[in-house]
Each structure stands twice: as structure tokens, then as C-alpha cells.
Amino acid sequence: LPRSHSPTSSRLLLIISIASTISIPIHFFIMFKSAAALALIGSAAAFAPAQTGRASTSVSAFTIDNMPGALAPMGFFDPLNFAEKADENTLKRYREAEVTHGRVAMLAVLGFLVGESVEGSSFLFDAQISGPAITHFTQVPDGWDALIVTMIGAAEAQRAQKGWVDPAQQAPDQPGTLKADYYPGDIGFDPLGLKPEDPEEFNIMQTKELQNGRLAMLAAAGFLAQEAVNGKGILETLLN
């Protein structure tokens, strides 16, 4: 499972984030199924560097010694030794998976809170959708699920073209190979120009994103579990 690289593009995430601030989180039920399952497993292997690992002769090699994301007191956190056993491409896929799931989870947490706070007052679907956020998706009229899948599929295809080697150009026993010049998570979507040019500043910014994403994955899993247990929305649970 940690080797998966379930893609969700930043462009799609931005669309969903904007939609969630004005309506209900109809898309986030799908996100949470992924975020909850991978909250603890998907990120375990990429809590970056602080111990000796596999090295590469390439100047720009992607190793556990130069990956951003490690902060005291945990430092390099890999209790199951996924990274220790991984080659460079597999390590990049681990980080790609962690960044992606973290981004999805951050938007999912936002969708839970915003969606539940505006239920009954949204202009979509005659404001008929209510209750815990995990039930919102099932209340959406038929046809919207197909639209969601289409949007995700289009975004996935674009991200795959950006970061992955064409399967026709690689050996059958080497699936999911990332392009040599592709940095995990950097799909070229930066409309506000926030990406630093300085490598050190970039590492600091990515570490912040990773840490927020890790927290969001745990929060997303917690939100989902709590609502499944007591059948109440997160805000209702907190306020009561």
C-alpha cells in the first residue's frame, strides 16, 4: 500500500477547495476514503532524513539524506524501514504519495468543517443536503458522481503525463517509474508564484506542507471515524 501513488492534481484540488467554500463537501466523501486508509501507512516512509541510507552518485539524487520533511523530535520516522529498503525511484514514489494524500486530506478537513457549517443555507441542491459530512455524498442527485470521476480522471491523466514515464517506454517489471527530472509533488501548478527559487527555502516550504499534510491525514481519519461512530457532524460534536 505505501508503494501506491494514487494521484490527485493540485489543479483538481484547487477546484474542489473553491467549491467547498461556497457549498457542501460533496467531493470529500471520496477523498476521505483514501485519506483515512492511508493516514498512518502512506506517510510512514517519508518522514525525511536523518540517518544513513542508500546513496546515489547523481548530484541531484533523491535519498533519505536530502529529503525535506524531518523535524525534531521525530527526525527520520520510518519504523517499518520502508525507505531503507527502497531504491531512488521507489523512494520518490513514497514521497509523491505522501504529498498527494496530504494535499487531499488538507482540503478534506476544510470540506468537512465548511460543508457542515453551511448546510441548509447552500444554494446548491435546494439546500436539502444535511447531517454529518460523510453522508453528504450519498444525498447528491444522480449524475454528479460521474462528473466527479470524469474530473478526477482528467486531472490524473495530466499529472501522470507530467511526472511518470510512458509505460510503453519502460520494462514490464518496472511499473510506475517517475521521470528523472520530476520532483515529487511539483506538477508545475503555482499560480501565485509561491515556489522559492532557493533550494534551502524550497525545502523549508515543502517541510511545512508535509507536516500540515500529515496532521490533516490524521485529522481526516479522526473526523471520519468520529462521525461513523456517533452519527453526528464534527462541529456538532465539538459544540456539544
Side-chain angles (χ1 to χ4, degrees):
L1 184 57
R3 296 193 179 205
S4 67
H5 44 81
S6 171
T8 305
S9 77
S10 292
R11 180 171 299 173
L12 174 63
L13 296 181
L14 181 61
I15 293 172
I16 297 175
S17 178
I18 293 173
S20 71
T21 62
I22 61 174
S23 59
I24 57 177
I26 60 175
H27 306 327
F28 291 98
F29 182 73
I30 289 179
M31 290 183 186
F32 265 87
K33 290 191 293 185
S34 174
L38 295 161
L40 296 177
I41 300 175
S43 62
F47 277 44
Q51 63 177 217
T52 303
R54 297 192 178 192
S56 170
T57 55
S58 172
V59 175
S60 59
F62 195 85
T63 72
I64 61 176
D65 298 308
N66 61 24
M67 292 166 60
L71 289 177
M74 299 303 294
F76 179 81
F77 183 74
D78 184 18
L80 299 181
N81 294 321
F82 287 126
E84 184 68 24
K85 304 171 186 177
D87 56 24
E88 183 175 350
N89 181 67
T90 302
L91 195 61
K92 289 173 70 175
R93 287 166 52 195
Y94 286 165
R95 175 47 55 87
E96 177 75 16
E98 181 181 24
V99 171
T100 299
H101 291 122
R103 290 169 178 172
V104 171
M106 285 188 281
L107 288 172
V109 169
L110 176 65
F112 257 68
L113 299 177
V114 173
E116 292 181 359
S117 66
V118 302
E119 67 177 32
S121 61
S122 171
F123 63 88
L124 290 179
F125 311 118
D126 296 324
Q128 296 299 309
I129 297 179
S130 60
I134 61 173
T135 68
H136 287 186
F137 185 78
T138 59
Q139 299 177 53
V140 174
D142 294 338
W144 281 88
D145 52 351
L147 177 61
I148 295 171
V149 171
T150 300
M151 293 174 61
I152 292 176
E156 302 292 88
Q158 182 178 7
R159 194 165 84 92
Q161 291 178 343
K162 174 71 176 178
W164 274 261
V165 175
D166 189 333
Q169 300 176 2
Q170 62 186 31
D173 61 343
Q174 296 179 342
T177 302
L178 296 176
K179 294 180 179 179
D181 60 348
Y182 176 72
Y183 191 88
D186 187 4
I187 60 174
F189 183 73
D190 185 21
L192 300 180
L194 299 177
K195 178 183 175 182
E197 296 293 334
D198 181 71
E200 183 175 353
E201 292 182 1
F202 175 76
N203 285 347
I204 293 174
M205 177 172 284
Q206 189 174 53
T207 296
K208 292 178 180 179
E209 180 184 22
L210 286 165
Q211 296 290 10
N212 285 311
R214 291 162 182 167
L215 178 60
M217 284 189 281
L218 293 174
F223 283 8
L224 179 59
Q226 182 64 53
E227 293 196 352
V229 168
N230 65 7
K232 297 180 180 180
I234 295 301
L235 293 179
E236 181 181 0
T237 300
L238 291 175
L239 296 176
N240 295 332

